[in-house]
Amino acid sequence: MLKSRTFLKKTRAGGVMKIVREHYLRDDIGCGASGCAACGSAHEGPVLEPQPLDRVSSLCPQPHYLLPDTNVLLHQIDVLEDPAIRNVIVLQTVLQEVRNRSAPVYKRIRDVTNNQEKHFYTFTNEHHRETYVEQLQGETSNDRNDRAIRVAAKWYNEHLKKMSAENQLRVIFITNDRKNKEKAIEEGIPAFTCEEYVKSLTANPELIDRLACLSEEGNEIDSGKIIFSEHLPLSKLQQGIKSGAYLQGTFRASRENYLEAIVWVHGDTEDNKEIILQGLKNLNRAIHEDIVAVELLPKNQWVAPSSVVLLDEGQNEDDMEKEEERECILKTAVSEKMLKPTGRVVGIIRRNWRPYCGMLSKSGIKESRRHLFTPADKRIPRIRIETRQASTLEGQRIIVAIDGWPRNSRYPNGHFVKNLGEVGDKETETEVLLLEHDVPHQPFSQAVLSLLPKMPWSITEKDMKNREDLRHLCVCSVDPPGCTDIDDALHCRELENGNLEVGVHIADVSYFIRPGNALDQESARRGTTVYLCEKRIDMVPELLSSNLCSLRSNVDRLAFSCIWEMNHNAEILKTRFTKSVINSKASLTYAEAQMRIDSSTMNDSITTSLRGLNKLAKILKKGRIENGALTLSSPEVRFHMDSETHDPIDLQTKELRETNSMVEEFMLLANISVAKKIHEEFSEHALLRKHPAPPPSNYEILVKAAKSKNLEIKTDTAKALADSLDRADSLTFPYLNTLLRILATRCMMQAVYFCSGMDTDFHHYGLASPIYTHFTSPIRRYADIIVHRLLAVAVGADCTYPELTDKHKLAELCKNLNFRHKMAQYAQRASVAFHTQLFFKSKGIVSEEAYILFVRKNALVVLIPKYGLEGTVFFEEKDKPKPRLTYDDEIPSLKIEDTVFHIFDKVKVKIMLDSSNLQHQKIRMSLVEPQIPGISVPTDTSNMDISEPETKKKKLQK
């Protein structure tokens, strides 16, 4: 049966176009119940069970299916994902509405419907002859959709009666809309709210904790005292932003001070780029990363960023007088030039809430169901949840979702989602850091895995088309020990004309990952492989990353090769790019390659190739440095793990060899050569990488620190900085140059991916290169896959596709890649920090030499070279007499009693693990030398035990 829908559309030119859409209605769409004789095998995919007996509801004891409306799907997805909820009918009407309103929830519901064990069935009610409804005149699309859902629920109940009159199989309509529920009951449809139904499942009381608490009025505290001003509706906010009365921006909460935040204003305006917010009422229930509308306060109410550290530790959740006292602490007398544009949040444009990891702060009231949850991320406020499992959840890492934040509540309301495990447990803490840094780490879906090549896989005649056979070349790879995802291999040989041929061969990942399929979409979403201390979260499935794409030795592999002809001065005479087949002759570690180069007895072809590469690399590096490339430093640590417990037993800084530099030089050269080629071919849509020059103010700390040691650092250009760092040597203090380079690294901006058609500044400051991209690591970076595709089109080895030449889509992709790379970096740091804590937990208290990196008003930030570990020595602590502190920002220096400390001064510190706060265990450092009476601690403190307080210990032992 064919229906047609007609509507009018206004064109850009101002004309009116009549559009007719055909809508087919069918009789052969199955109901999804596997025992239904009427439908037969009309339904495909996961089906409903013929006798759903898994849930026993006190409201509906008979076997039944559930049919939720749109709002239940949107807000109660945590309940629907629970294993206890099965046999659910998801209507096409509902699915379409969810897709339009929330992409993350839509993805979650698709995952649930694909899970065979859940028995969720998607019913195409909009194309079923008996369930399709047309919109009536004067009826809103919302009301029409509600009616369509009720019609489908009624049809289901009548249809199932024919199937099992004796079994009384029913469909229960779940809605939180009061009017919709009343209409359903009038029409004879069994209907309940989600809360009523979940509470009726007496065998699953834990499900109640997962209910999102939605009625704002119901959330409000009995006192009813209004704390916050009302958020303006979106229409008023949009008018205000248009007229300039309000500014739109991203809300960024402070880690150090829960009463302070900044808003990064969107747009190109240089004025008021950052607006500071101080005080609970001005923050007005905004949460980190929300998109908000702010109103600027008059200039006489502007404030300066506070230097006070304030953490929300109050147990009394609504003690507003205390909050007002704390807000007064922020208002210190400052000079007018320190004042910043200050504002208040007037409304929320878009909430960017996510599930939060943290711990339960159990209420002191006996038998209380209402407790506070403290997120691990200090930028997120505490969340009030109701749970009956408080005793079980104490000392556990849990996930909580926010439901809303009423005007008269000091904290937002939320609900319990999941228990991750015991705090401090390695698996649990790894899961927390992956979730908190938004690292996609779920196993690859079946849809993704189905696109992998079938094993055993081999290179065919068809694959050799448009490829060069380079299997005869003496190619080898050089990587860290234990590396299984080998992206790159190298070769060097002398040509008959006396010149050298050098090749960089990169895994041809784009051969296996084709544009737009599920594998490609998942790789793009992940963006990068994340390397943790003991775990690798792959961007692509392991079959590719560690096998078919990995350039392992003595197997044929597909590659994308960049081959240069060079003279012996490393000057490039010719460059060519080709898809190829290689067979690596050796997979070496940096140490093994170095040993071959240094050996006087080894002269085989691999070693000769390595020596040639090393010689050229030294010339290339010298040339880069002369051009102004920076050689910076950052202490990297390596853990030595116990083979049985996998706990860290030793901690060392990583040793860098000549061979590290050799590989790096050729990777840089390949990236620059490819960047030039793809930009020549695609001037508007090349994916490139740039490193902006830091603003002069970034270098202040470096210049001042060098000056305090009578050294001059010039920062006008990268070349001037590189030269002055090379000159900054001290015979009496050899480590000084490394410290200066570490400090210079902290002054740098973040390097970012961008689309050439959306930017004019391509320069890479750190490498002193006018153009740069990433080509050499496609197994672990999605950006490189795009660059491979662009290069393949440029050299005629592959065909293009629409998204590849759409600069707006490419810019969106770059935005996600930059976010994923930043998060991966933070997750890696968090993993190092956690393993460092484990190391010092077993090591006990140690004293080591350290150098001061920064001086603060009440602390010293120090670096311990032996462990590559950075930490803070505080001099103002709770319940201890405060020392005399004099801070000088100009030098910079900190005078403690009568001892003055400058940046780069050598000190001795005691290192220990402080577990007094279970959620935020940290490495604590105290000054040993120089000795300051009442401040320094003695070297031997074996009697000191900074562990969890006795009360907590007792609770945890229960």
Side-chain angles (χ1 to χ4, degrees):
M1 183 182 172
L2 183 66
K3 292 243 173 205
S4 62
R5 293 158 70 189
T6 309
F7 54 94
L8 302 174
K9 185 182 175 185
K10 194 174 181 181
T11 64
R12 277 185 183 175
V16 174
M17 185 162 65
K18 184 179 179 182
I19 293 175
V20 178
R21 286 245 170 95
E22 291 179 341
H23 190 87
Y24 289 89
L25 299 181
R26 297 166 53 171
D27 296 317
D28 59 349
I29 295 169
C31 68
S34 57
C36 180
C39 298
S41 58
H43 30 256
E44 291 173 19
V47 290
L48 304 159
E49 290 178 293
Q51 284 301 308
L53 299 168
D54 48 326
R55 288 184 308 265
V56 178
S57 163
S58 57
L59 289 171
C60 182
Q62 306 97 326
H64 55 271
Y65 303 137
L66 299 180
L67 191 149
D69 73 357
T70 308
N71 283 326
V72 169
L73 233 65
L74 280 169
H75 302 298
Q76 305 293 357
I77 183 71
D78 288 323
V79 171
L80 294 171
E81 283 177 333
D82 192 281
I85 301 294
R86 293 146 48 113
N87 293 296
V88 175
I89 298 158
V90 181
L91 297 180
Q92 180 190 1
T93 310
V94 170
L95 209 52
Q96 282 170 347
E97 274 197 281
V98 169
R99 188 178 193 170
N100 293 335
R101 285 166 64 179
S102 172
V105 174
Y106 178 74
K107 186 187 180 305
R108 285 169 74 181
I109 204 68
R110 293 299 315 180
D111 289 345
V112 174
T113 52
N114 289 333
N115 180 351
Q116 305 273 354
E117 291 170 15
K118 291 281 284 173
H119 298 284
F120 272 51
Y121 179 68
T122 308
F123 179 62
T124 322
N125 65 309
E126 294 291 351
H127 289 277
H128 194 289
R129 190 197 293 269
E130 293 178 52
T131 57
Y132 172 72
V133 298
E134 289 200 40
Q135 192 167 342
L136 304 174
Q137 208 168 353
E139 187 179 40
T140 66
S141 53
N142 204 28
D143 286 346
R144 179 258 166 211
N145 287 348
D146 283 349
R147 188 162 58 86
I149 295 167
R150 291 196 306 275
V151 165
K154 191 165 185 179
W155 175 84
Y156 253 106
N157 275 310
E158 286 167 2
H159 178 79
L160 292 177
K161 267 182 197 167
K162 298 172 199 167
M163 171 184 148
S164 60
E166 68 286 353
N167 288 339
Q168 297 178 306
L169 191 56
R170 306 172 78 183
V171 168
I172 294 178
F173 178 40
I174 305 291
T175 177
N176 286 332
D177 181 326
R178 190 169 46 83
K179 283 184 183 169
N180 205 7
K181 183 187 162 191
E182 284 168 5
K183 282 182 183 171
I185 291 166
E186 277 172 30
E187 292 167 17
I189 304 163
F192 304 108
T193 66
C194 193
E195 191 173 345
E196 285 169 346
Y197 182 76
V198 166
K199 284 182 175 174
S200 78
L201 302 175
T202 47
N204 302 92
E206 75 287 349
L207 263 181
I208 298 169
D209 288 354
R210 300 188 76 168
L211 275 170
C213 156
L214 293 174
S215 72
E216 292 279 290
E217 303 80 33
N219 285 348
E220 303 203 339
I221 310 240
D222 303 337
S223 66
K225 184 184 171 190
I226 300 293
I227 301 169
F228 299 102
S229 55
E230 199 169 354
H231 287 151
L232 298 178
L234 199 56
S235 55
K236 281 195 177 170
L237 296 178
Q238 285 164 339
Q239 282 170 11
I241 290 163
K242 210 171 182 180
S243 68
Y246 308 137
L247 295 163
Q248 176 177 326
T250 305
F251 182 89
R252 298 266 165 84
S254 161
R255 269 194 178 87
E256 273 82 40
N257 188 340
Y258 75 100
L259 294 173
E260 188 169 281
I262 57 162
V263 170
W264 278 80
V265 177
H266 300 170
D268 299 325
T269 166
E270 277 308 308
D271 302 335
N272 307 332
K273 192 74 186 162
E274 263 185 37
I275 294 171
I276 194 165
L277 312 174
Q278 269 186 9
L280 276 180
K281 290 180 181 176
N282 289 339
L283 300 178
N284 196 8
R285 298 172 286 154
I287 290 171
H288 184 65
E289 292 294 343
D290 282 351
I291 308 297
V292 298
V294 287
E295 177 181 51
L296 270 180
L297 297 174
K299 276 200 172 178
N300 62 354
Q301 291 179 38
W302 284 15
V303 297
S306 88
S307 55
V308 184
V309 175
L310 274 183
L311 300 177
D312 182 8
E313 289 167 343
Q315 275 301 316
N316 186 348
E317 48 188 271
D318 293 288
D319 190 351
M320 286 308 293
E321 286 172 26
K322 190 89 169 274
E323 299 296 358
E324 280 155 22
E325 274 174 43
R326 297 190 99 179
E327 283 177 26
C328 293
I329 302 172
L330 303 181
K331 295 170 175 56
T332 49
V334 285
S335 63
E336 203 157 301
K337 68 172 187 174
M338 297 284 284
L339 297 176
K340 293 273 173 77
T342 307
R344 69 184 187 95
V345 171
V346 290
I348 309 290
I349 292 161
R350 190 176 78 238
R351 288 288 194 192
N352 270 331
W353 296 341
R354 59 179 175 83
Y356 300 103
C357 299
M359 291 180 73
L360 195 71
S361 306
K362 197 178 168 192
S363 168
I365 305 162
K366 209 176 175 189
E367 300 300 315
S368 174
R369 285 183 181 175
R370 182 176 278 173
H371 307 273
L372 279 178
F373 162 82
T374 307
D377 187 340
K378 292 180 181 177
R379 296 168 299 188
I380 307 298
R382 292 163 138 204
I383 302 162
R384 187 190 294 109
I385 67 167
E386 282 197 26
T387 176
R388 292 150 184 77
Q389 313 173 58
S391 302
T392 318
L393 297 178
E394 208 177 1
Q396 303 282 304
R397 290 278 196 187
I398 63 172
I399 298 179
V400 161
I402 297 178
D403 300 326
W405 196 340
R407 287 174 61 198
N408 63 356
S409 171
R410 166 68 184 82
Y411 295 112
N413 293 322
H415 65 275
F416 166 77
V417 175
K418 189 180 178 185
N419 183 358
L420 294 173
E422 197 173 332
V423 69
D425 173 74
K426 207 184 296 180
E427 287 295 314
T428 303
E429 296 302 331
T430 302
E431 180 74 4
V432 168
L433 74 87
L434 290 170
L435 289 166
E436 281 300 292
H437 294 99
D438 197 9
V439 174
H441 61 288
Q442 293 73 25
F444 288 98
S445 70
Q446 209 44 53
V448 169
L449 297 175
S450 66
L451 293 163
L452 295 175
K454 302 290 175 277
M455 296 300 284
W457 174 86
S458 60
I459 296 167
T460 64
E461 280 297 312
K462 190 182 170 191
D463 296 332
M464 292 304 295
K465 205 179 167 195
N466 298 325
R467 270 181 204 279
E468 269 189 59
D469 190 340
L470 303 178
R471 286 176 283 196
H472 61 286
L473 292 176
C474 186
V475 171
C476 68
S477 63
V478 185
D479 289 282
C483 177
T484 59
D485 51 345
I486 303 169
D487 286 289
D488 53 89
L490 300 151
H491 90 271
C492 175
R493 64 173 179 166
E494 196 160 335
L495 298 171
E496 286 173 6
N497 61 9
N499 289 332
L500 296 169
E501 179 187 83
V502 176
V504 165
H505 310 276
I506 305 300
D508 188 5
V509 182
S510 63
Y511 166 87
F512 296 97
I513 300 179
R514 302 310 295 162
N517 68 19
L519 178 55
D520 183 46
Q521 288 170 0
E522 183 61 22
S523 307
R525 187 174 79 91
R526 293 183 179 221
T528 179
T529 292
V530 182
Y531 295 90
L532 305 181
C533 292
E534 277 192 279
K535 197 173 185 173
R536 190 179 82 198
I537 313 295
D538 281 326
M539 179 185 84
V540 299
E542 195 179 7
L543 178 66
L544 297 182
S545 67
S546 296
N547 187 348
L548 300 184
C549 291
S550 184
L551 304 181
R552 303 187 308 185
S553 54
N554 304 314
V555 286
D556 292 351
R557 286 290 176 259
L558 301 177
F560 209 148
S561 301
C562 172
I563 300 168
W564 304 278
E565 187 178 327
M566 292 181 176
N567 60 25
H568 287 264
N569 295 326
E571 291 163 340
I572 297 170
L573 308 172
K574 282 183 198 164
T575 307
R576 67 189 181 90
F577 306 98
T578 177
K579 291 256 183 164
S580 61
V581 179
I582 64 163
N583 187 302
S584 170
K585 303 300 179 274
S587 301
L588 306 173
T589 65
Y590 291 116
E592 287 167 349
Q594 191 67 54
M595 192 183 71
R596 280 173 175 262
I597 290 168
D598 297 341
S599 167
S600 55
T601 55
M602 295 184 82
N603 289 302
D604 58 280
S605 53
I606 294 171
T607 307
T608 309
S609 176
L610 287 169
R611 285 184 186 135
L613 289 165
N614 198 36
K615 188 179 156 201
L616 291 169
K618 287 177 181 175
I619 302 168
L620 289 169
K621 186 170 186 175
K622 188 168 174 274
R624 272 196 319 111
I625 289 167
E626 281 169 5
N627 281 339
L630 297 172
T631 309
L632 299 177
S633 181
S634 64
E636 285 193 72
V637 296
R638 164 162 283 140
F639 293 94
H640 292 274
M641 301 294 183
D642 183 296
S643 57
E644 286 181 18
T645 63
H646 295 287
D647 285 338
I649 48 175
D650 198 8
L651 176 59
Q652 295 174 339
T653 49
K654 288 183 185 172
E655 186 187 343
L656 295 178
R657 296 178 172 84
E658 259 186 19
T659 43
N660 290 74
S661 179
M662 175 189 84
V663 173
E664 184 186 10
E665 284 309 315
F666 287 108
M667 295 307 116
L668 294 176
L669 189 62
N671 286 335
I672 291 166
S673 299
V674 170
K676 288 175 183 169
K677 179 69 178 174
I678 61 172
H679 185 245
E680 267 171 34
E681 290 288 329
F682 304 99
S683 58
E684 286 290 293
H685 13 79
L687 190 153
L688 301 175
R689 187 164 176 84
K690 67 171 180 175
H691 182 215
S697 59
N698 278 30
Y699 284 126
E700 274 177 22
I701 186 75
L702 177 67
V703 172
K704 285 176 182 176
K707 198 177 175 187
S708 73
K709 294 289 179 236
N710 299 316
L711 294 168
E712 187 187 12
I713 297 284
K714 287 194 159 64
T715 61
D716 319 342
T717 62
K719 173 89 176 120
L721 174 62
D723 290 347
S724 50
L725 282 170
D726 286 342
R727 285 193 299 269
D729 264 334
S730 165
L731 293 171
T732 55
F733 187 2
Y735 196 64
L736 176 64
N737 192 267
T738 305
L739 287 168
L740 281 165
R741 289 179 195 277
I742 289 169
L743 205 53
T745 308
R746 307 296 168 88
C747 303
M748 294 298 142
M749 305 290 281
Q750 189 83 33
V752 289
Y753 295 112
F754 69 101
C755 171
S756 59
M758 307 289 272
D759 213 322
T760 50
D761 174 25
F762 294 5
H763 191 75
H764 196 294
Y765 178 81
L767 297 172
S769 176
I771 193 165
Y772 192 66
T773 192
H774 271 164
F775 162 75
T776 55
S777 294
I779 296 177
R780 60 186 176 88
R781 290 188 306 231
Y782 187 76
D784 303 51
I785 293 178
I786 296 293
V787 170
H788 275 230
R789 288 173 182 169
L790 288 164
L791 184 63
V793 175
V795 300
D798 207 343
C799 49
T800 185
Y801 58 98
E803 284 79 10
L804 195 64
T805 50
D806 182 331
K807 63 182 182 182
H808 297 287
K809 286 214 169 122
L810 210 53
E812 268 304 301
L813 177 70
C814 288
K815 191 177 167 188
N816 178 54
L817 294 178
N818 291 330
F819 170 72
R820 291 291 178 210
H821 276 262
K822 188 170 72 176
M823 287 296 126
Q825 235 174 358
Y826 291 163
Q828 279 154 256
R829 282 180 208 163
S831 180
V832 168
F834 174 64
H835 280 78
T836 306
Q837 288 171 14
L838 287 180
F839 171 69
F840 283 106
K841 191 175 186 175
S842 60
K843 183 97 174 163
I845 297 166
V846 294
S847 295
E848 290 294 345
E849 284 183 351
Y851 294 98
I852 297 171
L853 273 186
F854 302 101
V855 291
R856 302 275 187 244
K857 286 180 184 174
N858 62 345
L860 300 174
V861 178
V862 298
L863 174 77
I864 297 157
K866 181 178 174 181
Y867 298 129
L869 179 66
E870 200 178 304
T872 308
V873 181
F874 287 102
F875 296 106
E876 284 182 346
E877 294 192 53
K878 271 185 193 172
D879 313 322
K880 285 195 179 175
K882 287 190 178 180
R884 270 185 300 120
L885 300 175
T886 315
Y887 175 70
D888 185 339
D889 186 36
E890 281 308 305
I891 300 175
S893 69
L894 179 66
K895 188 177 181 183
I896 305 166
E897 299 295 343
D898 298 317
T899 309
V900 181
F901 292 90
H902 297 93
I903 291 182
F904 303 149
D905 281 359
K906 191 175 183 179
V907 293
K908 194 170 190 182
V909 295
K910 185 182 302 302
I911 315 158
M912 56 200 138
L913 179 68
D914 179 354
S915 308
S916 54
N917 180 333
L918 266 182
Q919 169 125 289
H920 297 113
Q921 295 189 37
K922 56 181 181 280
I923 299 294
R924 185 160 156 181
M925 295 189 183
S926 321
L927 189 68
V928 175
E929 289 173 14
Q931 290 193 348
I932 305 170
I935 304 295
S936 301
V937 294
T939 310
D940 177 36
T941 48
S942 50
N943 60 339
M944 286 179 68
D945 177 25
I946 302 182
S947 57
E948 59 263 33
E950 278 306 303
T951 52
K952 282 195 179 174
K953 270 189 177 173
K954 281 175 188 166
K955 280 179 186 171
L956 288 171
Q957 284 163 6
K958 279 181 186 174

